[in-house]
């Protein structure tokens, strides 16, 4: 039975090493920054497709720099880098310029929570039995090692329709996935077009409202939750007949249970600004321009408050889940 003990020791060492700091890049080629880029780039592409479709409605009318609607749409669609040259206020067709100027400051806010948990359990059960004339004496021995590691990363990213379509660097989206990822959906192609199109249609024709009684600042949110869990179990065992007069190991078993769960929660909020006052400014690369020192302190304080609220809500959720598992019998 020495082989069981050796496997248990080896499993304990190997499994323990892989669960010290579980991160998404352990199982995929995407770290948290890359996952955020996947979502942002798909949102950018969705916004650009809407813009191209709108410009194409100009058909044979002159729309931009002497080009017709069809020509301008093809110019942008065939060479996306041309988006960086476009000036919305220079579009001559008012039916196209007006909605572009109206929606360009629509905010796109993302809230990312990447929660990864690994559980590694390794144990050995050994039963010592001494055979007697009137029966058997037995002693059970159990050795077990349980390890759970969890890393929860939470952050927010802010864009606008204009910063995505015109200012984001093209190389940011190089090598982005073009196919659905069934195992880890957050690292594959998603249906963000649906959110962008639904927001625009609902605001144009469906009286889209904002929070509570706010009927002027239209907004729409998608909450995406992806859970991927892998479980592996090894449970070999062996048994021999007891021997009269002395204790011998009559049975032994090895229990190895390993699991990993990746929980990705992504909130995407599209929101019309109540006005242009106080909107963040972007540089030529689509990055938010740093505010003054006072603004930095205020922003940091607000971010800490949000994180504290987030942690409190998460703790309450876990508490409620634990109470539910206990049940009403207590």
């Amino acid at each position: 039975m020495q082989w069981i003990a050796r496997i248990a020791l080896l499993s304990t060492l190997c499994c323990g090493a892989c669960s010290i700091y579980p991160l998404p890049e352990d199982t995929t080629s995407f770290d948290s920054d890359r996952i955020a880029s996947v979502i942002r780039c798909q949102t950018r592409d969705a916004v650009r497709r809407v813009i191209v479709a709108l410009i194409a409605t100009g058909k044979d009318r002159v729309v931009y720099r002497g080009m017709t609607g069809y020509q301008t749409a093809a110019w942008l669609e065939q060479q996306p880098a041309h988006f960086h040259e476009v000036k919305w206020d220079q579009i001559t067709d008012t039916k196209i310029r007006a909605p572009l100027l109206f929606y360009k400051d629509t905010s796109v806010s993302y809230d990312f929570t990447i929660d990864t948990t690994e559980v590694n359990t390794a144990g050995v059960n050994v039963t010592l039995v001494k055979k007697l004339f009137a029966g058997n004496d037995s002693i059970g021995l159990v050795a077990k090692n349980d390890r759970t590691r969890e890393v929860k990363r939470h952050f927010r990213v802010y864009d606008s329709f204009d910063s995505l379509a015109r200012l984001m660097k093209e190389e940011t989206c190089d090598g982005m996935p073009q196919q659905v990822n069934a195992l880890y959906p957050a690292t594959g192609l998603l249906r963000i077009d649906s959110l962008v199109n639904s927001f625009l249609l609902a605001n144009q024709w469906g009286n889209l409202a904002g929070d509570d009684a706010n009927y002027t600042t239209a907004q729409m949110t998608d909450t995406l939750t992806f859970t991927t869990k892998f479980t592996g179990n090894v449970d070999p065992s062996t048994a021999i007949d007891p021997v009269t007069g002395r204790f011998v190991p009559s049975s032994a078993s090895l229990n190895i249970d390993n699991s990993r769960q990746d929980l990705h929660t992504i909130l995407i909020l599209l929101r019309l600004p109540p006005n242009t006052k106080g909107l963040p400014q972007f540089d030529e690369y689509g990055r938010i321009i740093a505010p003054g020192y006072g603004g930095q302190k205020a922003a940091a304080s607000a971010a800490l408050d949000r994180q504290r609220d987030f942690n409190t809500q998460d703790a309450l959720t876990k508490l409620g889940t634990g109470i539910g598992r206990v049940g009403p019998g207590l």
Side-chain angles (χ1 to χ4, degrees):
M1 298 183 189
Q2 292 182 352
W3 63 274
I4 292 182
R6 291 172 181 170
I7 293 178
L9 177 60
L10 181 61
S11 174
T12 300
L13 294 175
C14 294
C15 294
C18 68
S19 64
I20 294 174
Y21 201 126
L23 292 172
E25 54 262 41
D26 296 336
T27 52
T28 72
S29 58
F30 293 80
D31 57 16
S32 58
D33 179 67
R34 188 70 169 169
I35 291 174
S37 294
V38 169
I39 307 300
R40 294 180 67 211
C41 289
Q42 291 185 45
T43 307
R44 182 203 67 175
D45 293 343
V47 172
R48 284 183 171 181
R49 281 190 284 269
V50 169
I51 293 172
V52 169
L54 174 62
I55 290 176
T57 61
K59 298 182 180 180
D60 296 324
R61 302 192 306 271
V62 175
V63 170
Y64 188 69
R65 294 182 180 177
M67 294 184 289
T68 65
Y70 285 144
Q71 291 171 336
T72 307
W75 179 65
L76 293 172
E77 193 171 26
Q78 295 170 7
Q79 293 292 332
H82 287 157
F83 270 98
H84 300 284
E85 305 175 26
V86 175
K87 305 295 183 184
W88 306 128
D89 56 358
Q90 293 181 8
I91 291 180
T92 56
D93 192 306
T94 57
K95 291 183 178 180
I96 297 174
R97 183 178 66 245
L100 288 175
L101 291 175
F102 180 80
Y103 283 107
K104 73 182 183 68
D105 291 321
T106 298
S107 65
V108 186
S109 305
Y110 318 84
D111 185 289
F112 294 90
T113 302
I114 300 175
D115 188 351
T116 304
T117 304
E118 281 197 16
V119 179
N120 308 122
T121 301
V124 177
N125 298 316
V126 178
T127 302
L128 303 178
V129 175
K130 180 171 69 173
K131 187 175 182 179
L132 304 173
F133 291 105
N136 295 327
D137 283 344
S138 63
I139 300 175
L141 302 176
V142 178
K144 193 173 184 180
N145 190 306
D146 293 333
R147 293 168 310 286
T148 300
R149 306 289 186 266
E150 180 178 10
V151 176
K152 180 175 292 186
R153 183 169 294 176
H154 176 249
F155 59 98
R156 290 176 175 176
V157 179
Y158 182 91
D159 288 313
S160 71
F161 276 10
D162 185 53
S163 70
L164 285 171
R166 294 194 313 116
L167 304 179
M168 179 186 284
K169 297 169 65 176
E170 292 297 314
E171 53 266 34
T172 302
C173 300
D174 289 345
M176 286 295 152
Q178 301 300 317
Q179 302 294 331
V180 172
N181 189 324
L183 286 179
Y184 295 97
T187 64
L189 194 63
L190 299 172
R191 302 175 66 181
I192 299 179
D193 286 84
S194 173
L195 173 62
V196 174
N197 292 330
S198 296
F199 169 78
L200 294 172
L201 287 173
N203 187 64
Q204 286 293 107
W205 309 108
N207 296 331
L208 185 64
D211 283 333
D212 300 326
N214 184 351
Y215 300 108
T216 59
T217 306
Q219 67 179 51
M220 184 177 290
T221 308
D222 271 1
T223 299
L224 312 176
T225 302
F226 305 117
T227 302
T228 302
K229 186 173 183 178
F230 290 98
T231 301
N233 303 306
V234 179
D235 298 296
S237 62
T238 185
I240 61 174
D241 295 330
V243 177
T244 303
R246 62 190 179 92
F247 283 101
V248 296
S250 68
S251 65
S253 63
L254 172 65
N255 308 107
I256 301 175
D257 297 312
N258 296 314
S259 67
R260 177 185 172 107
Q261 176 174 288
D262 291 274
L263 176 61
H264 298 162
T265 304
I266 304 168
L267 281 71
I268 308 176
L269 168 67
L270 305 185
R271 185 173 186 268
L272 284 178
N275 52 62
T276 58
K277 183 180 179 180
L279 286 175
Q281 301 298 311
F282 297 90
D283 64 12
E284 66 272 23
Y285 301 112
R287 301 172 301 188
I288 295 178
I289 297 174
Y293 181 68
Q296 291 180 11
K297 290 181 65 178
S301 177
L304 289 173
D305 289 340
R306 287 196 303 267
Q307 184 61 40
R308 182 176 59 186
D309 293 341
F310 175 82
N311 292 336
T312 301
Q313 293 172 8
D314 186 61
L316 290 174
T317 300
K318 289 184 176 180
L319 177 61
T321 302
I323 294 174
R325 288 175 178 173
V326 171
L330 289 180

